[in-house]
């Protein structure tokens, strides 16, 4: 039998399901009817990879235990907080894991390398740019194809859809 005959025979016996838009909570086990593209970048802003202090790496050149740096702490940001705190030389912003990192600060010193200061922090380590720093879109870029059409949705894919803010998808059973 030729391949064209096989395809015709197969299509005679396969019933194509209608496309249905469903909430992602009801989509597990279904098949995507269309490709899914990310509508937002993940992370959607520069964020801290750990608890510590956002700093400008260049301000810490030659800093170590014998030659610590003393920085004014300009603010404190928790995960989910957003505040543009203007950068000034030799300053830090206290940040928690997942917190927004303001412009001008390009690294995070882990809190274990400090004295945990609230107004003035003593830092006992140098760093390099983007250490302990998650760049905007580092994991997923807005517009990136996340899943091609006809992907069977599992809990893993449902979690990814939720992470990028997609609540409903077009599927077939």
């Amino acid at each position: 039998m030729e391949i064209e005959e096989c395809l015709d025979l197969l299509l005679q016996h396969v019933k194509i399901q209608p496309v249905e838009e469903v909430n992602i909570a009801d989509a597990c086990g279904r098949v995507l009817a269309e490709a899914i593209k990310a509508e937002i970048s993940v992370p959607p802003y520069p964020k801290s990879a750990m608890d510590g202090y956002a700093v400008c790496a260049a301000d810490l050149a030659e800093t170590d235990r014998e030659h610590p740096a003393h920085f004014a702490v300009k603010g404190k940001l928790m995960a989910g907080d957003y505040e543009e705190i203007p950068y000034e030389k030799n300053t830090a912003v206290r940040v928690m894991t997942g917190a927004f990192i303001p412009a001008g600060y390009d690294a995070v010193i882990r809190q274990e390398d400090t004295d945990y200061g609230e107004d003035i922090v003593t830092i006992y380590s140098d760093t390099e740019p983007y250490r302990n720093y998650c760049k905007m879109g580092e994991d997923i870029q807005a517009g990136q194809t996340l899943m091609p059409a006809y992907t069977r949705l599992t809990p893993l894919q449902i979690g990814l859809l939720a992470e990028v803010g997609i609540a409903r998808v077009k599927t077939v059973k």
Side-chain angles (χ1 to χ4, degrees), residues 20 28 40 43-44 50 57 82 86 100-101 126 147 156 160 165:
E20 184 179 12
C28 198
I40 62 171
M50 63 180 47
Y82 177 87
F100 169 76
I101 298 177
D126 65 356
M147 293 171 228
L156 180 66
L160 181 58

Side-chain angles (χ1 to χ4, degrees), residues 100-111:
F100 169 76
I101 298 177
Y105 299 93
D106 65 0
V108 175
I109 293 290
R110 57 190 198 126
Q111 63 187 7

Side-chain angles (χ1 to χ4, degrees), residues 38-56:
E39 296 173 5
I40 62 171
S41 294
V42 177
Y45 50 81
K47 70 176 189 172
S48 176
M50 63 180 47
D51 293 354
Y53 294 83
V55 297
C56 177

Side-chain angles (χ1 to χ4, degrees), residues 4 9 11 21 25 27 29 31 49 57 68 97 103 118-119 124 129 150 159 167 172:
E4 290 79 14
L9 185 59
L11 291 174
E21 187 173 307
V31 175
T97 304
E118 291 184 24
D119 296 320
Y124 302 108
Y150 311 115
V172 293

Side-chain angles (χ1 to χ4, degrees), residues 7-72:
L7 284 172
D8 287 340
L9 185 59
L10 177 67
L11 291 174
Q12 289 172 24
H13 293 84
V14 172
K15 182 180 177 194
I16 306 278
Q17 297 291 321
V19 172
E20 184 179 12
E21 187 173 307
V22 297
N23 185 298
I24 61 170
D26 301 319
C28 198
R30 289 178 172 248
V31 175
L32 285 175
E34 61 188 14
I36 299 292
K37 291 185 182 277
E39 296 173 5
I40 62 171
S41 294
V42 177
Y45 50 81
K47 70 176 189 172
S48 176
M50 63 180 47
D51 293 354
Y53 294 83
V55 297
C56 177
D59 294 345
L60 289 170
E62 301 180 29
T63 299
D64 59 24
R65 285 253 170 223
E66 289 76 38
H67 305 94
H70 306 282
F71 285 10

